[in-house]
Amino acid sequence: MLLLRIATTHIRSRMRQTVVSIFGVALGVGFSIAMASLMEGSQRDFTATLIDAIPPMSKFWMNSAPRPNSPRASSTTRSPFTA
C-alpha cells in the first residue's frame, strides 16, 4: 500500500512529466506498429511481384530438355555429377 501511495504522489506532483512520458510511450508504440505494418506490406508486395515476374519452375522444367537420370532421358545420357 505504501508503494502505491508513493507512486500516486509522484504522478500527481509531476503531472507535466507524466503526460509527456505517456505521450512518448504512445508515440513509440504507434511508430513501432506502423513500421511493422510497412515491412509486412512491403514483403508481401515484393513476393507477389517476384512471383508474377518469374514463372513457376514446373513450367520451366516441362519445356526444357530432359534432365539426367529422369525417365524422359535416354539411357545413354550420363549425369556429370556421378562417377
Side-chain angles (χ1 to χ4, degrees):
M1 200 58 150
L2 177 64
L3 290 176
L4 184 60
R5 189 172 188 191
I6 293 171
T8 55
T9 303
H10 181 73
I11 288 173
R12 285 183 186 159
S13 67
R14 299 176 185 260
M15 188 57 74
R16 184 172 50 166
Q17 183 181 0
T18 302
V19 170
V20 169
S21 297
I22 291 172
F23 180 71
V25 169
L27 188 65
V29 169
F31 186 74
S32 295
I33 292 171
M35 289 306 297
S37 303
L38 183 68
M39 289 189 312
E40 180 72 25
S42 296
Q43 183 179 7
R44 286 184 185 180
D45 181 54
F46 177 73
T47 304
T49 303
L50 193 65
I51 289 174
D52 289 344
I54 299 174
M57 292 304 290
S58 61
K59 288 182 182 179
F60 173 76
W61 285 113
M62 287 172 43
N63 296 331
S64 67
R67 290 177 284 169
N69 299 331
S70 72
R72 295 184 342 175
S74 67
S75 60
T76 59
T77 305
R78 289 189 50 204
S79 172
F81 302 111
T82 57

